[in-house]
Amino acid sequence: MESTKKVMLSGIQPSGELHVGNYLGPLRHWPTMIEEYDCYFFLADLHTITVRQEPAELRQRVYKLLANYIACGLDPEKCTLFIQSHVPAHSQLAWVLDCYTMFGELSRMTQFKDKSARNADNINAGLFTYPVLMAADILIYQPDFVPVGEDQRQHVEICRDIANRFNGVYGEVFKVPEPVIQKVGARIMSLSTPDKKMSKSQPEGCVFLMDKPEDIMRKFKRAITDSDTENCVRYAPEEKPGVANLMQIYASATGKSYGEIEKEFAGKGYGAFKPAVGEAVVEMLRPIQAETERLLKDKAYLESVYRAGAEKASYVANKTLRKVYKKVGFIQP
Ligand code: TRP
């Protein structure tokens, strides 16, 4: 039953809605990755409660994200798709690893410093030990690769340090995974402030996967192009970041090259270009939105997906956990 494919794992925090930047960045490449690798993807619900959550909202978001991911092409038959809290071994391993992680190294995590500055009223222990839970998430599946965004690089580094430290004491228990920092293709910028990444914190410049067509069109029609009056669709990222960003989105949505786009809009100006990008995005998202809506109405199916996912994941996770428990000297139950 063991496959010979390399193992890849990534977690996604269900802390917000997916947007076009997420989709054209990493997400669009996942369907090809699941063909090539033995992939584990999970919704990191345990991680979200380091910041206060509205329980009903959290539940809804997890369902919605699960439906979104499946609609985007993460076929649950071809990868292991599950919810983190459904596999208790993550938390169990995290406790063990807590005891092999130093207070000093956690104190140096830049994300901890940032987040505690932003949530000064709730600097909880979970926020502090978050990287250890993430290390457990990873190491318990013995993956070869962990694709993450640049902001998570330090967390994968500490995971490697913890694994090496543990292996140094007990022998080769954990595979030490390689981070894969995603730069692939698109880095989509905000439509309203094109020098910043598209992000849910600036909703007007951010096109969500589930936005209605009229909202998508409005956001694109209002997109910032450039401050000069050239009014010409030309790919010049330094001079015209707003236009370059729209061209990138249009190119990704339609498969056209920058040269083709320049020709298509020669002499037409931004007034024609911006709604055309909007329409291309509406068309790109239409099947994903329809499939997400369909799946959300089929709770029984979604439940069958996350149950089967948790079962597959638990099998592998428990194997690693048993090995770890034995190594540290716990008596087998
Ligand atoms: N911390 C990651 C994020 O905020 C999510 C995550 C949790 C994760 N566990 C993981 C990513 C394990 C990769 C591997 O984006």
Side-chain angles (χ1 to χ4, degrees):
M1 221 186 89
E2 308 286 282
S3 92
T4 51
K5 285 182 180 172
K6 297 257 184 200
V7 178
M8 183 117 123
L9 165 140
S10 201
I12 311 101
Q13 275 214 55
S15 51
E17 292 218 15
L18 290 175
H19 56 67
V20 164
N22 304 129
Y23 180 66
L24 294 179
L27 192 50
R28 219 165 51 148
H29 302 281
W30 286 2
T32 13
M33 276 165 31
I34 61 177
E35 303 289 342
E36 233 174 289
Y37 300 98
D38 182 9
C39 286
Y40 293 83
F41 292 112
F42 62 92
L43 295 168
D45 55 349
L46 296 174
H47 277 92
T48 61
I49 63 163
T50 53
V51 176
R52 216 46 98 233
Q53 300 289 327
E54 179 57 48
E57 255 174 44
L58 176 58
R59 241 184 316 268
Q60 276 320 104
R61 244 184 284 124
V62 170
Y63 273 117
K64 195 164 165 188
L65 270 180
L66 188 65
N68 270 156
Y69 282 121
I70 300 170
C72 287
L74 273 194
D75 180 348
E77 301 287 326
K78 294 186 183 164
C79 63
T80 307
L81 193 54
F82 64 102
I83 298 170
Q84 185 187 26
S85 63
H86 293 181
V87 183
H90 290 229
S91 313
Q92 293 170 302
L93 179 61
W95 170 255
V96 176
L97 298 182
D98 270 331
C99 303
Y100 295 80
T101 308
M102 299 303 127
F103 183 87
E105 61 189 338
L106 288 177
S107 318
R108 288 191 291 274
M109 291 283 117
T110 49
Q111 199 175 75
F112 171 69
K113 289 193 258 179
D114 290 349
K115 283 199 181 170
S116 40
R118 273 187 279 126
N119 302 285
D121 56 339
N122 186 19
I123 307 179
N124 60 72
L127 200 61
F128 188 66
T129 57
Y130 169 123
V132 188
L133 177 58
M134 181 160 159
D137 294 338
I138 297 172
L139 297 176
I140 206 157
Y141 298 102
Q142 311 275 3
D144 297 278
F145 303 110
V146 183
V148 287
E150 181 59 42
D151 62 320
Q152 298 293 322
R153 179 200 290 274
Q154 206 183 21
H155 291 157
V156 180
E157 291 302 332
I158 197 176
C159 166
R160 290 164 54 88
D161 292 343
I162 297 168
N164 280 320
R165 181 174 302 133
F166 196 91
N167 288 349
V169 182
Y170 301 102
E172 295 304 300
V173 178
F174 297 121
K175 180 170 270 174
V176 183
E178 297 293 331
V180 178
I181 306 299
Q182 288 156 340
K183 285 192 208 74
V184 267
R187 188 174 138 84
I188 303 295
M189 311 306 278
S190 162
L191 302 186
S192 50
T193 31
D195 58 330
K196 295 216 171 67
K197 254 178 35 172
M198 184 177 279
S199 137
K200 58 181 189 260
S201 59
Q202 291 179 310
E204 266 315 292
C206 180
V207 177
F208 295 99
L209 234 55
M210 299 305 285
D211 269 352
K212 293 199 192 72
E214 59 265 34
D215 294 325
I216 299 176
M217 291 306 292
R218 174 177 42 82
K219 289 176 185 177
F220 277 101
K221 283 183 188 157
R222 288 194 195 152
I224 300 295
T225 42
D226 45 33
S227 44
D228 66 42
T229 49
E230 191 189 31
N231 195 23
C232 166
V233 178
R234 181 164 65 80
Y235 190 72
E238 296 291 323
E239 271 169 77
K240 297 148 71 88
V243 177
N245 186 43
L246 291 172
M247 288 180 78
Q248 183 178 206
I249 295 172
Y250 191 65
S252 306
T254 60
K256 290 175 187 168
S257 70
Y258 293 144
E260 285 167 334
I261 299 169
E262 286 170 0
K263 256 196 226 121
E264 183 178 349
F265 293 96
K268 290 193 187 145
Y270 305 145
F273 180 52
K274 292 199 283 186
V277 184
E279 273 159 31
V281 170
V282 168
E283 288 316 313
M284 173 178 81
L285 297 182
R286 194 187 297 284
I288 296 173
Q289 296 189 345
E291 181 63 359
T292 303
E293 297 295 355
R294 191 187 70 75
L295 290 167
L296 281 173
K297 291 199 196 100
D298 193 352
K299 282 267 159 72
Y301 172 73
L302 292 178
E303 282 165 18
S304 74
V305 166
Y306 67 58
R307 286 211 189 100
E311 198 179 316
K312 272 203 281 178
S314 296
Y315 175 79
V316 178
N318 287 330
K319 225 160 62 171
T320 305
L321 185 69
R322 277 196 301 273
K323 194 165 164 190
V324 168
Y325 274 10
K326 198 167 155 199
K327 289 284 182 185
V328 299
F330 296 163
I331 291 172
Q332 302 279 333

